Structure formats: structure tokens, C-alpha cells
Amino acid sequence: MPETNWDFNETGVFDWIERELKPEPCTSEEFVYNEMESQSGYSLPVIYQPFDAGNKWHWSDRGMLFDFLYSTDGEGKKLLDFGPGDGWPSLIVAPFAREVIGVDSSEKRVKVCTENARRLGIRNASFVSYKSGSSLPFEDNTFDGIMAASSIEQTPDPRKTLKELFRVLKPGGRIRIFYEALSDYKGGYERDIWIVGMGNRTCKLVLFNRDPDNEYALQYGLTIAMPGRELTERLSDGGEVSFEKVSVSFLEEIKGIITRAQVLKTIHPSAKTWISWLKETGFKEILPAYSGGMAAVKLFDLYTDDNRPSDLDSTDEAIKKVVRIVTGLEAPVSLDPMITAVK
Ligand SMILES: C[S@@+](CC[C@H](N)C(=O)[O-])C[C@H]1O[C@@H](n2cnc3c(N)ncnc32)[C@H](O)[C@@H]1O
């Protein structure tokens, strides 16, 4: 079970939850991923939305596809997608790889990914589940490359997870890691709120207490017998839900309809920490590099609406070239960029 440390708790709200609700420590799939019908809110281009060449974020998505593909040297190869969520990036990378296997500790996510692959007619992507914290269900040296998007930091022990990923990667194989560091939250964004709908009558209020200096976050999940829409209205400030609206008196008022309280601790390494952990695991040629997603967005802005590629194939052709360049360019560690490493 994750250990908790309440030292940086300033608001009283977290103290109240601790004292009054005694939240149960849990893993991330127990906290949220087992419950969500779509982890991405059905927002993913190609997987859920038709590709739109006029949408900058769809370009970013294609940029990320080629980032993972080129950084892992994965064209025509066998790749692992660690923690695929709704099938990202596995399902968009699959058409360019020989085979993609997604492994996730949430059975729900595996079910969703498998159904998405079936719906999209993708035959070379498959998904398996395993118990969080245990060994990955693969032999040593199985994969030519590994893609990990916002997932290693969701595991109970990211350092141990890196060791497992190293084990299942072939010698000479590459891992590409996209992760959420906490540096962006410094200076007022440490506390946060998120409401997850869980059907018509119940929702989950998620309250974040992030500690960027110590590279971890605590999330409190309160299951509340109230429709998500109603809770959203109660906690909105100018149209958006706001952490400041959550007070001890509000929690006192709804205490009787809080049916469950959970707490999740996640560790969020900075680039500097990732690099030292990758080294100690045995990885070499560790490269913090610019991301293909960011490059694709910049490229989008260089075009006008009249001269921008207008379909998926021509967009991909334009994006591929810049992604090949930027994913090989070292980025400053202070930016917490994506990281590539070789076994
Ligand atoms: C933030 S989501 C990212 C999903 C997807 N890669 C994306 O970027 O859209 C984190 C994913 O990691 C998975 N996950 C959490 N703990 C895990 C573990 N111990 N092993 C494998 N996957 C895990 C979750 O179930 C979820 O699918």
C-alpha cells in the first residue's frame, strides 16, 4: 500500500477527509481506471473521432504517433504499449508496426482497448491485464521497443516498473517515455479538482494535493451519491469547477452521501530523476528529446488554412519529417521533456 505523508496539507480540507472519512489507500486502477468507460473522454482522434486536418490537436496526436514509432525504432517491429488506457498510442501506432501488445493492470482498460481494436478493424494489436505491482506477463527480451505514455508514474513503484520494462525489452531495444512531471503545477496549481461521472446517480469527486518539490501527488477520491452534473454546478466558479469551492463546511453538508473515500499516492519523477533511475536500471544512451507532438503543432501553425494538408495521409507525410528530426534533438532537462533510452 502507498505510504502517505500529510505534511504539506495546508487547506484543512485534506485534514478533514483524513480525520472524518479515513480514506482507504488504493492503486490507480482501483481509484479511477477500472471505472471509466473511456479514459480519454472519447476525445482521441482516429480512435474515437474522425481525423480532422484543420484541428491542431489532431496534428499533435499524429506527431505523437510518429514520435513513439521513430523513438522506439518500431517500424515493422514488435512493440509494447505500457498502460494503454483507451488504446493510446497502441492503436494509432499499430498500422506501422508488426505487432503491438498493450499491458494494463486494469481489466476494464484491457476490455475497452480490445473493443476499440475490434471496432477499428486492427488485427495486430492485442491487450492483456496483469496484477499491479507483480511481474509483467512476458518472457525476458520479448519486445523490440516499448512505449509508455503517462503510465509508469501511475504504478505503485515506478522504479520497480522500470526494471520490469528493462527485463522484457530486447538488448538494443528502445523505450520512449511520456510522463507527467509536477514542475508545471508549482506556484498555485498544486491543488486541483476533477469530477468523474459514474452513471446517473453517483459521481466521484477527486481532489489533488501535489507536492512538486518531493515529486509526488496525493489524490483523494470521494464517491458521492449525487449526479455528476449536480456536483459540478455546486462546485463551479464562472463555469468551471474550482478547488476553492470545496470547503470543510461543504464536505460536512454532504458527508451523509459520501459512500466511499479513497486515497492514491502517485510518484511523479522529474526528467532528472527519470534519467538517474534509467541509468541505475541499466539503460544507456539516455536522451531527453523534444516531442513529435509539439513539433507537429508548430508545423500546423506554419501553414495557412489554404495551404495546409487536408487529409490524413498528406498530413502524416508532412509531420513525419519534422518528427524524425526533433525526436533526435536533445532537450533541456529543466523542461521535463520526453525521454528515450536503449537497453
Ligand atoms: C493516464 S492513463 C494513460 C493512458 C494512455 N497511455 C494515454 O496516454 O492516453 C494511465 C494508464 O496506466 C494504467 N496503469 C495504472 N497502473 C498500472 C500498472 N501498474 N501497470 C500497467 N498499467 C497501469 C492505467 O490503467 C491507465 O490505463
Side-chain angles (χ1 to χ4, degrees):
M1 282 298 152
E3 274 180 30
T4 50
N5 169 356
W6 320 109
D7 287 348
F8 69 106
N9 179 355
E10 292 161 9
T11 67
V13 163
F14 300 115
D15 277 336
W16 185 91
I17 293 172
E18 263 303 303
R19 197 176 56 244
E20 299 292 324
L21 303 177
K22 301 195 176 21
E24 42 179 297
C26 65
T27 60
S28 70
E29 70 274 11
E30 289 164 345
F31 190 82
V32 69
Y33 297 114
N34 280 342
E35 283 162 7
M36 302 173 91
E37 218 34 70
S38 166
Q39 178 266 323
S40 64
Y42 301 100
S43 64
L44 298 170
V46 177
I47 296 176
Y48 288 118
Q49 307 279 337
F51 177 74
D52 174 4
N55 184 324
K56 196 185 279 204
W57 302 114
H58 287 207
W59 279 54
S60 168
D61 195 70
R62 302 308 286 176
M64 289 302 283
L65 177 179
F66 294 111
D67 181 313
F68 280 112
L69 188 73
Y70 296 151
S71 301
T72 56
D73 197 15
E75 273 177 288
K77 307 259 183 73
K78 177 169 175 159
L79 299 176
L80 177 68
D81 181 4
F82 182 76
D86 287 347
W88 195 93
S90 29
L91 292 177
I92 53 172
V93 168
F96 304 89
R98 173 158 52 84
E99 183 184 1
V100 183
I101 298 180
V103 66
D104 204 296
S105 56
S106 163
E107 282 181 22
K108 173 75 177 181
R109 303 270 49 86
V110 166
K111 210 168 143 217
V112 168
C113 290
T114 305
E115 170 54 23
N116 283 344
R118 191 203 57 74
R119 181 173 46 79
L120 295 165
I122 296 173
R123 299 231 176 108
N124 63 339
S126 57
F127 300 89
V128 290
S129 65
Y130 79 112
K131 189 171 164 358
S132 187
S134 67
S135 301
L136 290 173
F138 309 111
E139 301 284 320
D140 295 358
N141 310 327
T142 300
F143 296 97
D144 298 305
I146 298 179
M147 312 177 285
S150 314
S151 51
I152 305 177
E153 65 271 29
Q154 296 294 327
T155 67
D157 184 347
R159 223 162 158 174
K160 196 170 149 202
T161 303
L162 277 183
K163 289 193 181 126
E164 267 302 282
L165 293 172
F166 185 82
R167 180 182 70 74
V168 302
L169 186 61
K170 286 183 187 167
R174 293 165 172 271
I175 185 170
R176 178 70 160 163
I177 304 173
F178 178 76
Y179 56 95
E180 186 191 43
L182 298 182
S183 48
D184 285 352
Y185 295 102
K186 271 189 180 175
Y189 302 99
E190 292 87 347
R191 325 268 176 264
D192 218 341
I193 177 172
W194 184 34
I195 295 173
V196 186
M198 296 166 70
N200 290 338
R201 297 183 181 182
T202 305
C203 65
K204 187 177 230 169
L205 171 63
V206 180
L207 299 172
F208 294 82
N209 201 359
R210 302 184 178 101
D211 184 350
D213 290 336
N214 292 304
E215 303 187 352
Y216 73 88
L218 295 173
Q219 294 176 53
Y220 292 88
L222 309 185
T223 306
I224 303 173
M226 184 190 279
R229 213 175 344 96
E230 195 179 323
L231 187 66
T232 303
E233 274 166 29
R234 297 275 315 258
L235 298 177
S236 287
D237 195 2
E240 296 226 347
V241 282
S242 152
F243 181 84
E244 279 65 43
K245 289 281 216 174
V246 185
S247 60
V248 167
S249 56
F250 173 75
L251 292 174
E252 292 277 8
E253 185 194 324
I254 62 162
K255 188 175 174 192
I257 55 167
I258 300 176
T259 57
R260 188 176 190 192
Q262 296 165 296
V263 61
L264 167 67
K265 178 178 180 180
T266 45
I267 295 161
H268 294 264
S270 61
K272 207 168 145 227
T273 304
W274 280 116
I275 291 168
S276 85
W277 288 1
L278 285 161
K279 274 188 195 152
E280 81 180 20
T281 307
F283 284 98
K284 52 192 188 189
E285 295 174 45
I286 300 164
L287 181 72
Y290 288 100
S291 98
M294 219 184 277
V297 165
K298 298 266 180 214
L299 182 63
F300 178 96
D301 286 336
L302 289 180
Y303 290 104
T304 64
D305 287 347
D306 295 333
N307 68 8
R308 187 178 300 118
S310 59
D311 62 32
L312 184 60
D313 288 343
S314 51
T315 303
D316 280 355
E317 277 318 303
I319 286 176
K320 279 177 183 177
K321 294 180 203 130
V322 292
V323 174
R324 264 209 197 278
I325 296 168
V326 301
T327 50
L329 286 182
E330 184 162 1
V333 166
S334 58
L335 294 179
D336 289 324
M338 290 176 73
I339 301 176
T340 310
V342 182
K343 175 168 173 182

